Amino acid sequence: MDVQLIPYIMLDGGAREAIAFYEQALGAKVVFKTTFGEAGQEVSEQARDRVAHSVLKIGGSDLYVADTDPGVRFAQGKQVNICINIADKEQAQKYYEALKEGGQVEHPLQEVYFSPAYGMVTDKFGVTFQIFTKRT
């Protein structure tokens, strides 16, 4: 089973600035970046340029940076969470069910435009996990 745990920085409109900062400060290389407008989501004109997802490579590590979804309340102190990348939808469901016990579902595990099974859960310790199932 191939599983990756990747730090994910969520910001409220500051993702572009953060990406530029990490490029300069840490030598990050942007290997992927898309906006909400480019992703084809129905969003307001002012939200079209917000970063929906980006992948930065720093040495041998990945770092994800994005802006919160338009309309989602930004919670100070929850900028960093962990993204669980996995290919197996059944294992993703097991992780989701285990992490939500005593915690709070932020986004139900379901198919979305970028993943066959994506969900977000804040566990009982206050740690937020995004579960991302890769397309095969």
Side-chain angles (χ1 to χ4, degrees), residues 3-52:
V3 179
Q4 292 179 300
L5 300 178
I6 300 170
Y8 205 128
I9 298 173
M10 299 295 297
L11 300 168
D12 188 23
R16 286 183 186 281
E17 182 180 352
I19 291 166
F21 175 75
Y22 297 134
E23 284 179 300
Q24 182 168 0
L26 303 175
K29 304 289 183 221
V30 178
V31 296
F32 178 82
K33 182 172 71 175
T34 189
T35 65
F36 285 103
E38 292 167 338
Q41 286 190 282
E42 293 291 324
V43 294
S44 67
E45 190 62 37
Q46 59 266 44
R48 292 183 53 73
D49 289 334
R50 290 172 72 98
V51 176

Side-chain angles (χ1 to χ4, degrees), residues 1-122:
M1 172 175 50
D2 182 29
V3 179
Q4 292 179 300
L5 300 178
I6 300 170
Y8 205 128
I9 298 173
M10 299 295 297
L11 300 168
D12 188 23
R16 286 183 186 281
E17 182 180 352
I19 291 166
F21 175 75
Y22 297 134
E23 284 179 300
Q24 182 168 0
L26 303 175
K29 304 289 183 221
V30 178
V31 296
F32 178 82
K33 182 172 71 175
T34 189
T35 65
F36 285 103
E38 292 167 338
Q41 286 190 282
E42 293 291 324
V43 294
S44 67
E45 190 62 37
Q46 59 266 44
R48 292 183 53 73
D49 289 334
R50 290 172 72 98
V51 176
H53 183 62
S54 71
V55 178
L56 295 109
K57 196 62 117 168
I58 303 168
S61 299
D62 288 342
L63 175 65
Y64 293 169
V65 180
D67 289 311
T68 54
D69 286 352
V72 172
R73 189 176 71 86
F74 180 73
Q76 190 69 31
K78 289 198 163 225
Q79 291 93 324
V80 179
N81 52 68
I82 299 168
C83 185
I84 301 173
N85 279 2
I86 189 161
D88 187 312
K89 281 173 57 173
E90 290 177 15
Q91 187 62 44
Q93 183 72 42
K94 289 178 185 175
Y95 288 152
Y96 175 80
E97 295 298 329
L99 289 168
K100 77 176 191 176
E101 282 298 314
Q104 179 178 333
V105 172
E106 309 292 339
H107 185 285
L109 188 70
Q110 61 190 8
E111 185 170 350
V112 293
Y113 73 95
F114 57 85
S115 172
Y118 171 82
M120 185 183 288
V121 175
T122 299

